[in-house]
Amino acid sequence: MGQIITFGEVLMRISPRGHKKFIQSNIVEFYFGGTELNVGISISNFGGDVKHISAVSEDFIGETAIAYIRQFGMDTSSIVLSKRPLGVYFLEVGAVIRPSLISYNRSHSAFSEIGPEKVNWEKALKKGEWMHWTGITPALSQGAFDTLKEGLKLAREKGMAVSADPTYRSDLWKYGQNPKEALSELLNYSTIFIGGVNEINEVLGTEFGYGNDDFIEASKQLMEAFPTIEKVFDKIRTSLNSSWHKIRARMWNGVDFRETEDLDITHIVDRIGTGDAFAAGLIYGLQHFDDYKAMEFASAACALKHTYEGDVNLATVKEVNSILDGNITGRLVR
């Protein structure tokens, strides 16, 4: 298989241990992550060939971040260095009826100053077969938007598949770009849409509901508006409380609607990066299985991520397939 390309910010996560609030503890732990990086590492854990493109700080923190990425076997040759600091976010992990809280410190980060002149896309995509992007990156700065657009344009010229997870977070779009117009422009270079009616409504300006019929109609209208999009996959989360969720998925591939069964997650260890785990499972799955099996694989990968601390899904293909085979009791494996 060809190389999978991810492009996005590398962040450091800082959090008190366990479920404590910052005011309760002066001991914290840190993890490296970032939406697109989480996807790339998970695919690499599945055995994929992945390159991550980003900008990190030119100091020992940036060096540590690159070393962290390399330990998963990923290609870091297109990561550039910056005089600005690495982006950071702070997390207080919730429990039961208390939600988790996140505060970002990324507005003047190393990645925020990236621009098209800093990435040699022709060289970066030389072995590329698939490129993945999310709505987080174009929201961060004009330079990030322009750089991503240039990469996507070349990826499509090369015939690469492009998956889009156009996550919309209103508090990130602060540099004057219109989110709807920006995301729509990037979707013109995309072939796989990872999102549900919320994301489709945001892009199309529609008001579809959450039922399956609305999802199908929304998907059809999305494909009409963006003819390059071939398939739509939606992860559905049912939250009973902060510690107990259910995960399932549904799809429309232009011909068939399919839906998976719920996977019950009765005790969440860490839910950060679970949507990224779904995207990674789907990308890997679509390269190896039919659409429905790929969606099942993605849903199981997402569910497993809830059991790992940190931003990244550490599950292997064997472990995901074990869940698909019905081994969900957590029984000791000898």
Side-chain angles (χ1 to χ4, degrees), residues 241 243-245 264-268:
N241 58 46
S243 305
W244 182 3
H245 293 183
D264 222 9
I265 308 161
T266 57
H267 178 73
I268 294 174

Side-chain angles (χ1 to χ4, degrees), residues 260-261 263 289 292-301 304 317-328:
T260 68
E261 298 292 329
L263 285 170
F289 315 124
Y292 181 69
K293 177 66 181 294
M295 182 173 62
E296 282 192 312
F297 187 90
S299 188
L304 268 176
V317 171
K318 181 179 179 180
E319 289 167 333
V320 176
N321 283 332
S322 180
I323 299 299
L324 293 178
D325 290 339
N327 299 317
I328 57 175

Side-chain angles (χ1 to χ4, degrees), residues 3-74:
Q3 195 169 58
I4 297 164
I5 310 297
T6 53
F7 171 68
E9 184 166 25
V10 178
L11 291 169
M12 176 186 281
R13 160 179 153 185
I14 299 176
S15 183
R17 292 180 180 176
H19 295 83
K20 291 182 178 180
K21 296 178 72 65
F22 274 96
I23 200 170
Q24 290 180 279
S25 176
N26 59 2
I27 300 175
V28 296
E29 50 194 6
F30 74 90
Y31 300 93
F32 289 108
T35 300
E36 298 83 2
L37 175 62
N38 297 341
V39 173
I41 291 177
S42 182
I43 295 172
S44 189
N45 283 332
F46 293 147
D49 179 10
V50 186
K51 172 185 284 187
H52 187 65
I53 303 171
S54 189
V56 302
S57 54
E58 192 175 10
D59 56 19
F60 70 94
I61 297 298
E63 291 172 359
T64 305
I66 291 175
Y68 174 80
I69 298 169
R70 284 177 178 160
Q71 74 177 335
F72 296 99
M74 294 176 65

Side-chain angles (χ1 to χ4, degrees), residues 129-151:
E129 181 179 280
W130 192 300
M131 184 169 173
H132 177 72
W133 69 275
T134 81
I136 302 297
T137 293
L140 296 177
S141 68
Q142 185 67 51
F145 171 82
D146 292 339
T147 309
L148 174 60
K149 180 182 174 182
E150 187 172 292

Side-chain angles (χ1 to χ4, degrees), residues 233 249 251 260 278 280-301 324:
F233 295 89
M251 62 168 235
T260 68
F278 179 85
L282 184 65
I283 293 168
Y284 176 86
L286 289 172
Q287 291 183 313
H288 294 82
F289 315 124
D290 62 35
D291 291 347
Y292 181 69
K293 177 66 181 294
M295 182 173 62
E296 282 192 312
F297 187 90
S299 188
L324 293 178

Side-chain angles (χ1 to χ4, degrees), residues 58-119:
E58 192 175 10
D59 56 19
F60 70 94
I61 297 298
E63 291 172 359
T64 305
I66 291 175
Y68 174 80
I69 298 169
R70 284 177 178 160
Q71 74 177 335
F72 296 99
M74 294 176 65
D75 185 341
T76 61
S77 61
S78 293
I79 294 180
V80 299
L81 301 179
S82 167
K83 297 298 183 182
R84 294 190 181 187
L86 196 75
V88 176
Y89 78 95
F90 303 90
L91 169 69
E92 288 184 346
V93 180
V96 194
I97 61 173
R98 175 168 61 90
S100 297
L101 299 175
I102 291 179
S103 177
Y104 290 99
N105 187 350
R106 67 198 303 181
S107 60
H108 298 288
S109 68
F111 187 78
S112 68
E113 69 164 11
I114 200 166
E117 74 283 356
K118 296 188 177 182
V119 178

